[in-house]
Amino acid sequence: MKTSFQTVQRRILVLTLLPGTLISALMCSLYLWAHLTGLDQQLTKKARDMTRRLATLVVYSIESGEMQSTRDLAIQTLDDTDVRAVSLLDRNGRELLHAGPNLLSIGMPQPLPEALSLFTTGDTLRVITPVVQLRGDSTETIGWLQLEYTYSETLIKKHRATLLAIILLALAIGVVLSLCMKLSRSLIIPMQSITDAMDEIDVQDRDSRLKASPGSIYVTLELAVNRLLERLTHSREALERSADISTNELHETLETIEIQNVELDLARKEALEASKSKSEFLANMSHEIRTPLNGISGYAALLLETELKSQQREYLSTIEKSAQSLMTMLNDILDFSRIEAGKLELDNQQLSIREVIDDVLAIMAPAAHHKSLELASFIYEDTPEDIIGDKLRLSQILTNLVSNAIKFTSYGSVAIRVMLEQVDDSNVHTLKFTVTDTGSGLTSEQHSRIFNAFSQADSSRTRQAGGTGLGLAISKSLVEQMQGEIGLDSDLGRGSTFWFTIRAHPIKEENVLFKPEPITGCHHVLLYEPQELSRLSIGHQAQSLGLKVTSFQSLDELQTYVENHHNYDLLLLSQGDDRLQRTVRIAESYLTQSPVLILAMAGNSNHPETLPTGIHCLLKPVARNKLLLAIQGMTSNTLSGTDVMQPAKAVFEKKLDILIVDDNQVNLKLLETILLKMNQSVTTAHNGFEAIEYCHQKIFDLILMDVQMPDIDGLETTRRIRNINNIYKRIPVIAVTAHALPEERKQILQSGMDDYMTKPVNTRQLVTTISHWTGNSVQAPDEPTEENLSGQVKPNLSPIDVEKSVKLAAGNQELAREMLAMLLGGLPEDLQTIEESFRNNLHEPLLDRVHRLHGACRYCAVPRLLEACLELETNLKHSTHLNAPNIIHGVEEVTRAIKELLDWQRSKEAEAIA
């Protein structure tokens, strides 16, 4: 306690002494600084005044040459202790008189100063002033006077002042210290007395109190302590009473807890019975639901194999898909129930990872190819192919992830990758599976809930894909049972990568790379595959079979290689986006060099029943085992030409109300015909105002909107439709444009439109887009493509390609003839508008007319006019100056192509369309 009081005393001394000391030191420093500065200023003022006075006195001496009086005056000046030396110079700077020691060097400037100047060295101050004589109204400098002053006396005065300041500061500190000591004693001693008195108070004596002295400076504290002691006494008494009450209540609570434990045990037994009843109910309901579902699905599949009308086939396909959806939903609910009850057990057996992935991709291929998605798999070489695991559950996880990737990906690719991540000391392999897509991606908020049961990335009423929201929750539970982890890496607009790991034992102690037997008669294969991921995947699988692979991205590259090389044994020819019949025709052109294995898209229709000799077919995505069997069969001539699967054609599940808005009658007619053949309800509008009026009258499921239209364009029309009501804020609006530059596409999407299609819109593109934005399940039929193969274009002297016109009209000759007639009928007006706009330097009318004509050309095979319109529209969108050489040339090409078509019409060649 004594040490504590000493610490308090030291703090009091510091807090009281430090401010006084600092203030004293500050005041002393200020005084000293002011005094020393005053001494310097005093010497400077003295030097200026004395020098000016002497300069006035020596004027006569310099003029008369009588220097004796001046010398006496200089010697008399030296009597001043501050003056060290005096020097007088003539007008030429020569010294006339000097008194005292030699002047110290100051590096005097030349010429001498015109006014009084001061120069300071370390110990002296020199003042130089010109000696001026008055001559009438003017003055003349007749010499200079120099006086050198010493700082010796000034320094002595400074030292005295400094010593005096130190003495005064010491006295002030001493006085402050004595006062602080007295103050600390007056504070500490009474406090120590109070502390000693409190130590002597008996804890058990409830009446003990401090003696409050009226003259003490702590009398208020002593009285407060006494009041505190009184309150503590009362609190202790209350605490004792409360403790007695709490003890009694505790005994009662323990008795209540014993009763509740008995009740909880009974409730637990009832919950277990309820869970058992729920499981039995689900099992019974599963059996009761599965039985009719299997019958519905089975008989629907049987009926689809019979001869049916198109409407009947549509109904049956809808029934079969609905039954499969119900079956999938039922399986998810049962699996989740088993997982929730902890009764889902893994059936670990030997399985092949490659076979599992191949099976999953084969199942999901029709859905992927229906959306024109690239589907590929990559199994890295250090990954063991045969492991111990649950094949069914691993397939279930992969199927769920791949299905979700396809569901939420509109274009691009979906890829599965498997790699070895880690091998521990007990030879347990950690394998990592990734499913990567190029879809819309997920936000960080969706990341947090995506694996929760009954949760979906988009749970709004306008979501594009349905489902129970159990798939990922089940997958997460299955992965955790396999001692792994599951997660995703995704950013909105950049696609997603779902990944999971499993721990499994490999079948072989050491990972041995797959080494098949050499394929007799096949060592070098050519691979044509326009899709990059598929090309890498197929090439990797072919190389793992011991084959040399040369890959090509385009048919031009393939054709060039084939013409210059003959060192290959087999050609793998991908169908790409072409119809299979066209791919077969291409394959026939290469039969003279080698057999051809066509890699066909799953889910396509209109396959030939037989294939020419030397051509065989394998469905994509390509599995390594099937590729090996196909190549071995072809080289040993054991395959027939009828190995092409013929999947059934499907249509929309439900009828949609679709609004088509376009100012071009050709475009309206084509889109209306295609959609009516799909049994959709179609309304057409020729401009934006009509579209807005129709939208006020009824609610449409989808709107196909042209971008460039007169009066009000498609962007503004979309904005006004969105503002009609809340329903139209969610209705998909798809832009249909003949020319979409990158900046235009961005503008289209920012205006409120959901997607865009570039003309010509074929059936597959139209059906895929409608299916994506309405969630209406569909399988689009193949469409003829616009491109002709390199080296196979037939010369056509006519400005119209008759065969291609029919193909662009989906094979409907009557529709092709009608669209061509409408195009030709509007050409005179188009020609007049283009020439007048160009002649009058009107950029916007010219661009609008060229864009409209370009859109019409997309649906009529007029290649020269189409190419000219495309080039001119592109140039007009990049430049507003119509006198640019490229625009002048473009206008000439368009007008020439129009006149060529008009000449063709006049010569009656249009009858060739029949």
Side-chain angles (χ1 to χ4, degrees):
M1 184 65 69
K2 184 177 181 181
T3 304
S4 176
F5 281 110
Q6 290 176 348
T7 302
V8 173
Q9 187 175 14
R10 283 196 297 270
R11 291 184 179 179
I12 292 175
L13 288 175
V14 171
L15 293 175
T16 55
L17 182 60
L18 185 60
T21 303
L22 291 176
I23 293 172
S24 300
L26 180 62
M27 296 297 294
C28 184
S29 300
L30 290 174
Y31 162 77
L32 188 59
W33 174 79
H35 186 68
L36 296 182
T37 303
L39 290 175
D40 289 336
Q41 293 175 349
Q42 182 180 351
L43 179 60
T44 302
K45 185 177 183 303
K46 177 182 178 180
R48 289 176 179 272
D49 295 339
M50 184 177 290
T51 303
R52 287 193 183 99
R53 187 170 59 252
L54 287 177
T56 304
L57 295 175
V58 299
V59 172
Y60 175 78
S61 299
I62 295 175
E63 282 295 318
S64 62
E66 179 61 35
M67 304 301 297
Q68 184 59 41
S69 60
T70 302
R71 186 175 288 108
D72 294 338
L73 181 61
I75 293 171
Q76 183 181 357
T77 302
L78 291 176
D79 293 339
D80 192 328
T81 56
D82 290 330
V83 180
R84 182 177 178 275
V86 179
S87 176
L88 182 63
L89 306 178
D90 62 9
R91 68 183 62 198
N92 295 321
R94 292 189 299 272
E95 190 174 72
L96 299 176
L97 182 146
H98 182 84
N102 293 331
L103 296 175
L104 298 178
S105 175
I106 61 171
M108 185 176 6
Q110 295 295 336
L112 292 168
E114 295 295 331
L116 187 144
S117 303
L118 285 78
F119 301 91
T120 303
T121 63
D123 300 319
T124 63
L125 172 66
R126 184 179 300 182
V127 182
I128 303 175
T129 182
V131 179
V132 180
Q133 183 179 18
L134 295 173
R135 295 187 185 276
D137 296 334
S138 62
T139 60
E140 180 183 359
T141 301
I142 60 175
W144 282 268
L145 177 65
Q146 299 185 88
L147 271 74
E148 190 172 81
Y149 295 84
T150 179
Y151 282 110
S152 302
E153 288 298 323
T154 303
L155 289 175
I156 291 173
K157 293 178 182 179
K158 288 182 178 180
H159 293 159
R160 289 174 181 171
T162 302
L163 180 61
L164 179 61
I166 293 173
I167 292 172
L168 292 176
L169 178 62
L171 289 175
I173 293 174
V175 173
V176 172
L177 179 61
S178 63
L179 293 175
C180 291
M181 292 294 294
K182 184 176 180 180
L183 176 62
S184 65
R185 283 193 297 270
S186 65
L187 295 175
I188 294 300
I189 292 174
M191 179 66 71
Q192 191 170 5
S193 301
I194 293 174
T195 304
D196 294 339
M198 291 186 69
D199 290 339
E200 294 175 358
I201 292 177
D202 188 0
V203 177
Q204 301 299 327
D205 186 2
R206 300 181 179 181
D207 296 326
S208 298
R209 300 288 185 273
L210 291 178
K211 295 180 180 180
S213 303
S216 173
I217 62 174
Y218 294 113
V219 62
T220 304
L221 176 63
E222 292 169 347
L223 293 175
V225 171
N226 289 335
R227 289 194 297 271
L228 176 62
L229 290 173
E230 290 178 2
R231 286 197 297 270
L232 288 175
T233 300
H234 295 313
S235 298
R236 185 183 302 154
E237 293 173 353
L239 182 63
E240 290 175 354
R241 290 194 299 270
S242 176
D244 294 338
I245 296 172
S246 298
T247 302
N248 296 331
E249 291 178 349
L250 179 61
H251 289 296
E252 296 176 359
T253 302
L254 290 175
E255 295 176 356
T256 304
I257 290 175
E258 290 180 0
I259 297 172
Q260 290 177 346
N261 285 338
V262 174
E263 293 175 349
L264 286 173
D265 186 57
L266 293 175
R268 176 178 174 274
K269 292 179 179 179
E270 291 177 358
L272 291 176
E273 290 293 332
S275 177
K276 182 179 179 181
S277 299
K278 183 187 74 171
S279 299
E280 292 176 353
F281 170 77
L282 287 174
N284 293 332
M285 288 304 299
S286 171
H287 178 267
E288 295 298 329
I289 295 175
R290 283 173 184 271
T291 300
L293 272 181
N294 284 332
I296 294 171
S297 179
Y299 279 105
L302 290 174
L303 283 173
L304 283 172
E305 295 177 1
T306 63
E307 294 183 1
L308 297 170
K309 297 179 181 179
S310 60
Q311 191 177 27
Q312 293 172 333
R313 184 173 295 277
E314 177 185 354
Y315 293 161
L316 284 172
S317 297
T318 303
I319 292 172
E320 185 184 30
K321 289 181 181 180
S322 300
Q324 292 298 330
S325 298
L326 284 174
M327 189 70 74
T328 302
M329 189 180 301
L330 179 63
N331 290 335
D332 286 344
I333 295 173
L334 289 175
D335 286 341
F336 184 74
S337 177
R338 293 193 192 100
I339 292 171
E340 197 177 40
K343 295 182 179 181
L344 185 64
E345 298 180 358
L346 300 179
D347 182 17
N348 291 323
Q349 298 178 1
Q350 179 178 343
L351 65 89
S352 170
I353 294 176
R354 187 176 295 276
E355 288 183 3
V356 171
I357 293 177
D358 289 343
D359 291 344
V360 170
L361 292 183
I363 294 172
M364 303 309 301
H369 293 163
H370 159 65
K371 300 179 71 174
S372 300
L373 298 180
E374 187 178 2
L375 206 56
S377 65
F378 299 90
I379 301 177
Y380 292 84
E381 291 184 351
D382 58 349
T383 305
E385 292 197 8
D386 297 321
I387 61 172
I388 300 297
D390 191 326
K391 180 178 181 180
L392 176 63
R393 297 306 176 184
L394 181 59
S395 299
Q396 184 177 357
I397 297 171
L398 288 172
T399 301
N400 186 274
L401 296 181
V402 174
S403 174
N404 285 344
I406 294 172
K407 186 186 303 180
F408 295 102
T409 302
S410 301
Y411 60 90
S413 62
V414 176
I416 301 178
R417 292 178 174 84
V418 189
M419 62 197 74
L420 177 63
E421 192 171 68
Q422 183 182 357
V423 180
D424 61 16
D425 296 335
S426 58
N427 198 35
V428 176
H429 287 50
T430 301
L431 304 179
K432 183 175 183 179
F433 296 75
T434 65
V435 178
T436 304
D437 63 63
T438 57
S440 57
L442 298 170
T443 63
S444 56
E445 180 184 356
Q446 291 170 332
H447 287 200
S448 59
R449 67 171 189 267
I450 194 69
F451 292 105
N452 296 337
F454 304 105
S455 177
Q456 295 179 327
D458 181 9
S459 57
S460 65
R461 293 182 179 180
T462 58
R463 64 179 185 265
Q464 300 164 14
T468 60
L470 291 174
L472 289 177
I474 293 171
S475 298
K476 180 181 179 182
S477 299
L478 292 176
V479 168
E480 290 173 350
Q481 280 195 278
M482 297 178 185
Q483 303 178 12
E485 298 176 343
I486 189 169
L488 77 154
D489 302 312
S490 178
D491 290 320
L492 191 63
R494 298 185 179 180
S496 304
T497 297
F498 282 81
W499 57 267
F500 67 92
T501 61
I502 63 171
R503 289 167 53 84
H505 286 277
I507 298 300
K508 301 175 182 178
E509 292 297 327
E510 297 181 359
N511 187 24
V512 180
L513 296 179
F514 175 76
K515 294 181 180 180
E517 294 294 330
I519 302 176
T520 305
C522 187
H523 305 285
H524 183 198
V525 299
L526 304 185
L527 170 61
Y528 161 67
E529 172 56 69
Q531 295 178 329
E532 182 178 3
L533 274 180
S534 296
R535 186 168 64 254
L536 292 174
S537 176
I538 298 170
H540 177 72
Q541 295 187 64
Q543 288 174 349
S544 68
L545 295 176
L547 299 173
K548 177 184 176 182
V549 181
T550 304
S551 301
F552 304 94
Q553 184 177 0
S554 68
L555 286 171
D556 292 339
E557 295 175 358
L558 173 64
Q559 183 65 29
T560 302
Y561 185 90
V562 170
E563 290 175 354
N564 298 319
H565 301 80
H566 304 282
N567 59 342
Y568 61 94
D569 305 303
L570 179 65
L571 171 60
L572 303 180
L573 186 66
S574 173
Q575 178 184 347
D577 293 330
D578 288 339
R579 292 173 62 90
L580 184 59
Q581 291 88 338
R582 184 178 181 184
T583 306
V584 171
R585 291 197 299 270
I586 297 172
E588 289 177 339
S589 64
Y590 293 104
L591 280 177
T592 56
Q593 286 86 5
S594 71
V596 180
L597 179 60
I598 296 176
L599 308 179
M601 302 284 284
N604 286 333
S605 58
N606 299 325
H607 291 288
E609 295 182 0
T610 59
L611 294 172
T613 304
I615 299 177
H616 302 277
C617 198
L618 182 64
L619 288 182
K620 295 169 64 177
V622 175
R624 188 178 68 182
N625 293 338
K626 294 180 180 179
L627 178 63
L628 175 60
L629 292 175
I631 296 176
Q632 289 175 339
M634 292 180 68
T635 55
S636 61
N637 296 321
T638 59
L639 285 180
S640 66
T642 60
D643 54 340
V644 182
M645 294 183 63
Q646 307 245 4
K649 186 187 298 184
V651 293
F652 282 115
E653 286 186 352
K654 62 181 182 180
K655 189 172 184 178
L656 302 174
D657 284 326
I658 300 176
L659 173 63
I660 308 173
V661 187
D662 201 315
D663 64 317
N664 190 297
Q665 187 63 31
V666 176
N667 300 343
L668 277 178
K669 185 67 177 178
L670 179 64
L671 292 175
E672 181 183 14
T673 303
I674 293 175
L675 292 174
L676 288 176
K677 291 178 70 174
M678 297 178 186
N679 197 29
Q680 301 302 298
S681 175
V682 180
T683 303
T684 60
H686 295 82
N687 54 60
F689 294 114
E690 286 187 19
I692 296 171
E693 184 178 352
Y694 285 137
C695 290
H696 278 288
Q697 296 173 3
K698 65 180 296 188
I699 301 298
F700 294 96
D701 298 309
L702 182 81
I703 301 175
L704 301 177
M705 179 77 66
D706 187 23
V707 175
Q708 286 190 246
M709 295 183 294
D711 299 328
I712 176 173
D713 62 16
L715 306 182
E716 180 61 26
T717 303
T718 301
R719 295 189 188 99
R720 296 189 185 184
I721 290 175
R722 294 292 191 203
N723 293 327
I724 292 176
N725 53 43
N726 290 330
I727 297 177
Y728 271 112
K729 293 184 184 297
R730 303 189 300 268
I731 297 300
V733 179
I734 311 300
V736 183
T737 178
H739 196 289
L741 297 174
E743 58 270 18
E744 291 179 318
R745 296 169 185 171
K746 182 178 180 181
Q747 184 182 7
I748 287 171
L749 297 178
Q750 289 178 345
S751 70
M753 294 188 180
D754 299 285
D755 204 345
Y756 63 88
M757 294 187 294
T758 304
K759 300 174 184 177
V761 179
N762 58 40
T763 305
R764 173 182 295 179
Q765 181 186 10
L766 181 63
V767 170
T768 301
T769 304
I770 294 175
S771 174
H772 171 73
W773 288 105
T774 62
N776 205 2
S777 179
V778 72
Q779 182 173 355
D782 290 339
E783 278 298 313
T785 58
E786 294 185 47
E787 299 81 1
N788 288 313
L789 294 177
S790 176
Q792 294 184 350
V793 179
K794 298 179 181 180
N796 185 10
L797 300 178
S798 172
I800 296 178
D801 188 335
V802 178
E803 181 181 355
K804 190 175 181 181
S805 294
V806 177
K807 289 182 179 180
L808 289 175
N812 189 330
Q813 292 187 3
E814 185 64 29
L815 177 61
R817 184 185 300 109
E818 186 177 349
M819 289 192 300
L820 181 59
M822 286 190 290
L823 172 66
L824 295 175
L827 284 181
E829 181 185 352
D830 294 333
L831 178 60
Q832 180 181 358
T833 303
I834 290 172
E835 289 179 341
E836 289 180 355
S837 299
F838 179 71
R839 186 165 52 252
N840 297 324
N841 199 28
L842 302 176
H843 179 271
E844 289 298 327
L846 178 60
L847 176 58
D848 291 340
R849 181 62 62 168
V850 173
H851 173 81
R852 179 178 178 180
L853 182 59
H854 181 197
C857 292
R858 287 283 184 173
Y859 296 102
C860 300
V862 284
R864 296 187 185 92
L865 182 56
L866 175 64
E867 183 179 357
C869 289
L870 173 62
E871 181 180 359
L872 179 57
E873 183 178 358
T874 302
N875 293 331
L876 286 172
K877 289 181 177 180
H878 285 93
S879 175
T880 58
H881 301 290
L882 299 187
N883 56 353
N886 58 344
I887 292 181
I888 294 174
H889 174 72
V891 172
E892 291 175 351
E893 289 297 320
V894 170
T895 54
R896 185 181 297 112
I898 292 175
K899 292 177 181 178
E900 185 180 18
L901 280 170
L902 292 175
D903 292 340
W904 179 87
Q905 183 185 25
R906 282 191 291 269
S907 64
K908 303 302 182 179
E909 290 186 16
E911 295 178 1
I913 195 66

